[in-house]
C-alpha cells in the first residue's frame, strides 16, 4: 500500500466535509458550469486511480464525484427545473418517505393514522374553530 493512496483519500474526504453544507443548505445555488465539470473530474480521477491500483483514492474520488452529482441535481437551478418537469422530484420525495418508514421507530400504524377533520394531525384545534 502506498502512502500517497491515503493522502489522496484524505483529500477527497475533506472535500466531502466542505461540500456537505452546500448540499444541505436549501438556499444554495451552484451553477451547472461549476458542478458538472467537478463531478466529471471526480469520476475521471476515480477511474485513473483504480487503474493505478490506488483503491482508497479511487473510492474517495468516486464519492467526491457523487457528492458533486448530488449538488448538480439538487442545488443547480436548471437541474431543479428539469427534475420538476420530468417528475424526478416526485421520485425523490417517494424515496425520502420510504427511507423514513425504514426507521426502527416507525410503525405501520403510523401511515394509517386517522386525522379528525376538526383537529390538526396532532390533535390541536384548527385556526378556523
Amino acid at each position: 500500500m502506498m502512502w500517497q493512496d491515503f493522502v489522496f483519500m484524505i483529500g477527497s474526504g475533506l472535500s466531502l466535509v466542505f461540500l456537505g453544507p452546500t448540499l444541505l443548505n436549501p438556499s444554495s445555488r451552484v451553477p451547472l458550469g461549476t458542478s458538472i465539470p467537478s463531478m466529471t473530474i471526480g469520476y475521471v480521477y476515480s477511474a485513473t486511480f483504480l487503474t493505478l491500483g490506488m483503491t482508497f483514492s479511487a473510492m474517495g474520488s468516486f464519492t467526491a464525484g457523487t457528492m458533486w452529482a448530488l449538488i448538480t441535481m439538487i442545488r443547480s437551478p436548471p437541474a431543479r427545473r428539469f427534475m420538476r418537469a420530468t417528475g424526478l422530484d416526485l421520485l425523490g420525495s417517494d424515496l425520502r418517505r420510504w427511507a423514513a418508514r425504514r426507521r426502527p421507530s416507525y410503525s405501520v400504524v403510523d401511515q394509517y393514522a386517522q386525522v379528525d377533520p376538526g383537529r390538526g394531525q396532532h390533535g390541536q384545534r384548527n385556526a378556523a374553530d
Side-chain angles (χ1 to χ4, degrees), residues 50 95 116:
L50 203 57
L95 289 174
D116 181 10

Side-chain angles (χ1 to χ4, degrees), residues 26-83:
S27 64
S28 293
R29 299 290 177 255
V30 180
L32 289 176
T34 299
S35 57
I36 289 178
S38 299
M39 172 187 66
T40 305
I41 289 170
Y43 290 141
V44 168
Y45 280 3
S46 177
T48 304
F49 285 136
L50 203 57
T51 62
L52 292 172
M54 301 172 75
T55 310
F56 292 117
S57 299
M59 288 188 305
S61 294
F62 183 81
T63 54
T66 302
M67 184 70 114
W68 276 108
L70 290 170
I71 289 172
T72 300
M73 290 187 311
I74 296 171
R75 299 293 173 225
S76 295
R80 293 183 77 182
R81 282 193 300 273
F82 172 77
M83 289 177 63

